[in-house]
Amino acid sequence: MANTRDIRQRIRSVKNTQQITKAMKMVAAARLRRAQERTEQARPYAAKLEEVIGSIASGSGSTNHPMLVSRPVKKTGYVVISSDRGLAGSFNAQVIRTAVNEMRGKSQNEYAVFAIGRKARDFFKRRGYPLVGEVVGLSDNPTYADIKSVATQVVQLFQDGVYDEVYVMYNEFVNALTQVPVSRKLLPLEDVGGKKETPAPGTITAKYDYEPSAEAVLDNLLPKYAETLIFSAVLESKASEFGARMTAMGAATDNAATIINGLTLALNRARQAAITTQITEIVGGVAALES
């Protein structure tokens, strides 16, 4: 059995770790609230932009725009969004696993990876995956400017025909306890142009003229919409990261408390054993003197 000094040192060490994990849980909870608000604020913008694009495309008959039409797939681009830091449970592992499963069975000249986040970047670089774009060092409150370079690169390469389809993979935020890894087709935007809502009875609808043309407006809006979807995925991933970290640090804090209780019990037993040994030695010494 370990002596009491070793047990006390272990208890102090675990208590220090518990204080750190508790603080990290509180920080993650505060950041989660802000990230969740930003995610919810971004959703109406993306939805309205999709509505406008669908209205223009279906109203003008421009559903044959290159970004709206599927073509034979020769090469695929994957945008994988992870975090820069760990200590978030299975947050990074599950999105990277989703990406690897999608790429399994394909040769390296059939796909390319765009990594957002240091964990994904390091994983794919170490294993020799074809990494063609990366963004690391994102702040806890990322802006569109932070990911604009890689988002523009992805959209431009699709428009140039380098990639025939693009998928974005990230953890979708459900709540603080649940983050679901998803793989969604980003390009082509097959479903956007075909959407045309039927107006409610009595609703007055207007026909718009576009200057210089509906096609020119689409040429500007479609890349912007695709880039907005990537940014929305980054916001979802950030909220998921903080939720996963808060949950992981909460579990670590609880585990530390369990370990401390066990060590305290072991300390009490060690102290009792030491006291019993001392009493036995005293009694034995007295008996030896009397005999």
Side-chain angles (χ1 to χ4, degrees):
M1 180 180 292
N3 59 46
T4 57
R5 184 169 62 179
D6 292 339
I7 296 176
R8 286 193 179 97
Q9 289 178 347
R10 181 74 191 282
I11 290 175
R12 285 196 297 268
S13 176
V14 175
K15 283 184 176 179
N16 291 337
T17 302
Q18 185 185 41
Q19 290 176 352
I20 294 172
T21 56
K22 186 176 181 180
M24 293 182 66
K25 175 186 176 182
M26 296 174 64
V27 171
R31 291 174 177 173
L32 171 61
R33 286 192 292 269
R34 291 194 294 268
Q36 189 174 357
E37 290 173 359
R38 296 192 67 201
T39 301
E40 293 173 351
Q41 291 169 358
R43 287 171 180 168
Y45 174 78
K48 191 63 178 179
L49 190 56
E50 179 182 6
E51 178 186 336
V52 171
I53 291 174
S55 176
I56 297 174
S58 59
S60 63
S62 301
T63 54
N64 59 347
H65 190 281
M67 291 187 68
L68 299 174
V69 179
S70 298
R71 54 183 184 244
V73 178
K74 297 179 181 177
K75 193 167 186 177
T76 304
Y78 295 102
V79 181
V80 184
I81 304 173
S82 70
S83 68
D84 287 329
R85 300 184 298 273
L87 298 178
S90 62
F91 171 80
N92 291 303
Q94 61 188 11
V95 71
I96 291 175
R97 188 184 306 115
T98 299
V100 170
N101 290 337
E102 289 280 347
M103 302 170 198
R104 183 172 289 119
K106 296 182 179 180
S107 62
Q108 291 197 351
N109 60 356
E110 293 180 327
Y111 66 89
V113 179
F114 300 84
I116 299 178
R118 185 171 284 107
K119 291 296 183 180
R121 191 276 307 272
D122 293 347
F123 176 89
F124 292 116
K125 181 175 287 187
R126 283 197 303 266
R127 288 161 177 78
Y129 284 80
L131 186 66
V132 296
E134 63 181 67
V135 175
V136 297
L138 287 178
S139 67
D140 293 329
N141 297 301
T143 63
Y144 176 73
D146 294 331
I147 56 95
K148 179 174 173 57
S149 59
V150 69
T152 303
Q153 180 186 9
V154 169
V155 174
Q156 188 61 51
L157 289 173
F158 176 81
Q159 289 181 306
D160 294 342
V162 177
Y163 306 115
D164 301 301
E165 62 180 3
V166 177
Y167 286 84
V168 59
M169 299 172 179
Y170 61 98
N171 283 289
E172 185 177 42
F173 180 78
V174 178
N175 53 53
L177 298 176
T178 307
Q179 301 83 36
V180 181
V182 296
S183 174
R184 291 183 176 170
K185 180 179 283 190
L186 177 67
L187 294 168
L189 300 165
E190 298 171 314
D191 298 331
V192 176
K195 291 184 178 180
K196 186 175 182 180
E197 297 182 358
T198 302
T203 302
I204 299 176
T205 58
K207 183 177 181 181
Y208 296 95
D209 291 328
Y210 302 98
E211 182 65 32
S213 65
E215 290 76 11
V217 174
L218 280 180
D219 286 338
N220 283 277
L221 284 184
L222 287 174
K224 178 67 68 176
Y225 176 59
E227 294 169 6
T228 299
L229 292 181
I230 296 177
F231 180 57
S232 297
V234 170
L235 294 180
E236 290 271 356
S237 181
K238 273 294 179 183
S240 298
E241 176 188 349
F242 295 137
R245 182 167 291 116
M246 184 183 72
T247 302
M249 292 301 98
T253 302
D254 294 339
N255 290 339
T258 302
I259 293 174
I260 291 171
N261 290 336
L263 290 172
T264 301
L265 182 60
L267 175 62
N268 293 336
R269 287 175 176 171
R271 290 174 58 192
Q272 186 64 45
I275 293 171
T276 301
T277 300
Q278 291 174 0
I279 292 175
T280 302
E281 291 174 351
I282 293 172
V283 171
V286 172
L289 291 174
E290 291 177 350
S291 57

